[in-house]
């Protein structure tokens, strides 16, 4: 479809998302809204200069602040708006507020508020009868200790992203130390320097296999759904290490995920856009972990495009512009990604990347560290050091090939050299 005339307003500078949109959006059509502190820290003006579709940047506070609304409207000076999109997790609520204000398709402000605060999401899901773990808001280590009552729990921030501060605690773990680590976990590059309000929660540990569900929604109805098989790190920090699209599941199980997602859409009042929900598959069906109201990270959109043979970002843009885009059907292929990790320390050698990149079916093989770089302990997504992505005939073949390719990339590090 041809997009309607008007500006594309993006709340939060989503650099990767803009690169994906750059091939089909009109030149200079995008207005990026970003907090002044982050414009400076991420050198947004310089980064945006390399993107054909970006026309301007509005520096205005939007993190837990609505001051940006007036600033954007002053900048637009009455120009029509074709669509509004969140560039980042932290921009989800702001994008929904603008879309609702201007009568454009979007999540809806109330739905976005629930999707950016896990405590509000839990309350909405519970009211709708969805399966949730037992949970509570916590304000300090004694609250966590009381809730845990000697059992395993998950401690996490309620309104951050990228698995920052999430910990799986076992009986006997030092809860005071865990609390300090969770509340001190900050993604400073993505946040303004001013003080913000953070909330924290504790949950009973779930047991089962983890999946995510990606759904395109129009007018409160799911029009496309995919289930992604997930691999997460063991131990205290459940960092995501790999994905397979689509998951190899019996039809009845996939239908169960679809039914759970439909109830979640209804529970939050979500209207139009994309959802990325994480679920644990238990004996009685899917149990909700969390849900994001924005484009999934971890290269999942690339996996979707490879497996289904479409362009999910363009489809999303067309939905947000009020269109009726052609939607993907069944996936004729399977795609997988395996994220690379390394021991904490100073990198001494990296081998195997070039060989892996030449293997049949490999779409991407990259490492983000080189000898001399410091690797931190694996505590969040930011601590991963590369990825291997590939396409195969079916999910089992994709998973096996991704594991084999990842094992062929060797990153060695000297722990003593880092001390």
């Amino acid at each position: 479809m041809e997009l309607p005339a008007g500006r594309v307003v993006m709340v939060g500078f989503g650099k990767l998302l803009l690169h994906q949109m750059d091939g089909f959006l009109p030149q200079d059509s995008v207005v990026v809204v970003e907090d002044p502190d982050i414009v400076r820290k991420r050198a947004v003006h310089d980064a945006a200069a390399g993107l054909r579709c970006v026309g301007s940047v509005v520096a205005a506070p939007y993190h837990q602040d609505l001051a940006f609304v007036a600033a954007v409207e002053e900048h637009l000076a009455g120009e029509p708006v074709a669509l509004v999109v969140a560039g980042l997790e932290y921009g989800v609520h702001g994008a929904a507020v603008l879309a609702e204000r201007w009568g454009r398709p979007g999540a809806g402000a109330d739905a976005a508020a629930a999707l950016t605060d896990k405590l509000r999401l839990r309350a909405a899901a519970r009211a709708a009868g969805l399966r949730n773990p037992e949970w509570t808001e916590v304000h300090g280590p004694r609250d966590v200790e009381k809730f845990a009552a000697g059992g395993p729990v998950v401690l996490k921030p309620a309104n951050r992203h990228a698995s920052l501060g999430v910990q799986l605690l076992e009986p006997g773990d030092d809860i005071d130390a865990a609390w300090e680590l969770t509340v001190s976990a900050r993604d400073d590059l993505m946040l303004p320097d001013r003080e913000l309000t953070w909330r924290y929660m504790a949950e009973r540990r779930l047991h089962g296999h983890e999946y995510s569900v990606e759904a395109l929604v129009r007018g409160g109805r799911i029009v496309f759904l995919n289930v992604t098989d997930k691999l997460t790190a063991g131990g205290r920090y459940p960092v995501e290490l790999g994905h397979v699209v689509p998951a190899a599941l019996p039809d009845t199980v996939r239908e169960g995920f679809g039914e759970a997602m439909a109830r979640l859409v209804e529970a939050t009042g979500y209207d139009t856009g994309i959802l990325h929900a994480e679920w644990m598959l238990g004996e009685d069906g899917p149990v909700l972990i969390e849900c994001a109201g924005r484009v999934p990270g971890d290269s999942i959109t690339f996996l979707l495009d490879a497996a289904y043979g479409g362009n999910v970002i363009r489809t999303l843009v067309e939905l947000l512009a009020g269109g009726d885009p052609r939607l993907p059907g069944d996936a004729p292929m399977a795609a997988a990604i395996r994220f690379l990790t390394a021991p904490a320390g100073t990198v001494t050698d990296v081998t195997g990347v070039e060989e892996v990149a030449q293997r049949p079916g490999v779409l991407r093989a990259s490492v983000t560290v080189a000898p001399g770089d410091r690797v931190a302990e694996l505590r969040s997504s930011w601590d991963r050091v590369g990825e291997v992505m590939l396409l195969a005939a079916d999910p089992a073949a994709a998973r096996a090939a991704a594991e084999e390719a990842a094992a062929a990339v060797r990153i060695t590090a000297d722990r003593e050299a880092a001390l």
Side-chain angles (χ1 to χ4, degrees):
M1 87 172 242
E2 185 175 338
L3 296 178
R7 294 287 194 171
V8 175
V9 177
M10 174 179 281
V11 183
F13 180 56
K15 186 176 179 180
L16 179 59
L17 179 56
L18 283 166
H19 274 286
Q20 293 176 266
M21 297 163 67
D22 206 34
F24 62 83
L25 286 182
Q27 184 171 349
D28 298 332
S29 60
V30 178
V31 176
V32 174
V33 184
E34 190 51 272
D35 193 284
D37 291 334
I38 301 168
V39 169
R40 169 181 51 82
K41 290 190 284 189
R42 295 184 66 198
V44 169
H45 287 292
D46 291 342
L51 292 160
R52 184 188 59 85
C53 66
V54 178
S56 56
V57 176
V58 178
Y62 67 89
H63 288 76
Q64 302 179 10
D65 195 326
L66 293 179
F68 74 99
V69 175
V72 175
E73 291 186 334
E74 181 180 358
H75 178 81
L76 291 171
E79 283 190 79
V81 173
L83 63 114
V84 185
V85 63
L88 305 165
E89 174 74 16
Y90 294 125
V92 167
H93 185 253
V97 168
L98 289 181
E100 196 169 271
R101 181 178 178 88
W102 297 335
R104 304 306 301 154
D110 288 344
L115 292 168
T116 51
D117 186 318
K118 296 176 180 67
L119 287 161
R120 294 183 65 163
L121 180 64
R122 283 275 179 248
R126 180 176 62 187
L130 282 163
R131 295 186 182 91
N132 285 279
E134 184 185 354
W135 55 274
T136 188
E137 183 171 8
V138 291
H139 304 278
R142 300 290 75 79
D143 290 344
V144 181
E145 190 174 67
K146 180 179 179 180
F147 178 78
V153 296
V154 182
L155 174 62
K156 65 172 78 172
N159 52 346
R160 291 194 186 173
H161 72 165
S163 67
L164 275 172
V166 178
Q167 296 182 71
L168 307 183
L169 304 181
E170 300 288 349
D173 284 345
D174 186 334
I175 291 179
D176 289 277
W179 175 262
E180 287 303 315
L181 192 151
T182 291
V183 300
S184 64
R186 286 184 58 87
D187 42 352
D188 288 327
L189 192 64
M190 310 299 288
L191 292 172
D193 295 336
R194 66 182 181 277
E195 287 296 318
L196 299 171
T197 300
W198 303 115
R199 304 174 74 193
Y200 303 93
M201 61 193 300
E203 300 176 343
R204 299 289 177 211
R205 287 275 298 275
L206 295 174
H207 298 282
H209 192 81
E210 188 172 338
Y211 296 87
S212 71
V213 178
E214 291 71 44
L216 291 170
V217 185
R218 180 175 55 216
R221 185 174 68 88
I222 294 173
V223 294
F224 167 76
L225 183 137
N226 167 76
V227 182
T228 297
D229 197 349
K230 300 169 71 68
L231 171 67
T232 56
R236 175 173 288 194
Y237 307 103
V239 180
E240 296 182 0
L241 296 182
H243 309 299
V244 180
V245 171
L249 292 171
D251 289 344
T252 54
V253 176
R254 188 180 184 280
E255 289 166 3
F257 278 115
E259 292 168 2
M261 281 298 294
R263 292 175 64 188
L264 183 60
V265 168
E266 183 178 5
T268 59
Y270 191 85
D271 190 85
T272 299
I274 191 166
L275 292 173
H276 168 63
E278 296 177 350
W279 302 84
M280 190 74 76
L281 184 59
E283 293 181 358
D284 297 323
V287 184
L288 181 64
I289 299 174
E290 58 188 51
C291 182
R294 41 89 181 148
V295 171
D298 280 355
S299 296
I300 289 177
T301 56
F302 294 102
L303 299 178
L304 291 170
D305 290 351
Y308 287 87
N311 186 324
V312 70
I313 299 301
R314 183 173 183 110
T315 303
L316 171 64
V317 166
E318 292 175 357
L319 283 175
L320 292 176
D324 186 15
R326 180 179 179 182
L327 297 161
D330 294 333
M333 300 286 284
I337 191 169
R338 184 65 164 85
F339 297 101
L340 305 177
T341 62
T346 301
V347 175
T348 57
D349 196 22
V350 178
T351 60
V353 182
E354 293 79 7
E355 182 272 322
V356 165
Q358 300 304 313
R359 293 186 178 189
V362 172
L363 304 175
R364 183 189 308 164
S366 64
V367 173
T368 59
V369 294
D373 290 341
R374 172 70 187 272
V375 176
E377 180 184 359
L378 185 67
R379 292 182 175 180
S380 77
S381 302
W382 310 121
D383 300 320
R384 301 174 307 200
V385 296
E387 63 184 35
V388 175
M389 183 189 304
L390 54 84
L391 189 64
D394 57 66
R399 177 190 294 278
E403 292 290 342
E404 183 181 347
V409 178
R410 293 179 174 82
I411 304 167
T412 56
D414 183 350
R415 185 173 183 84
E416 289 187 358
L419 299 179

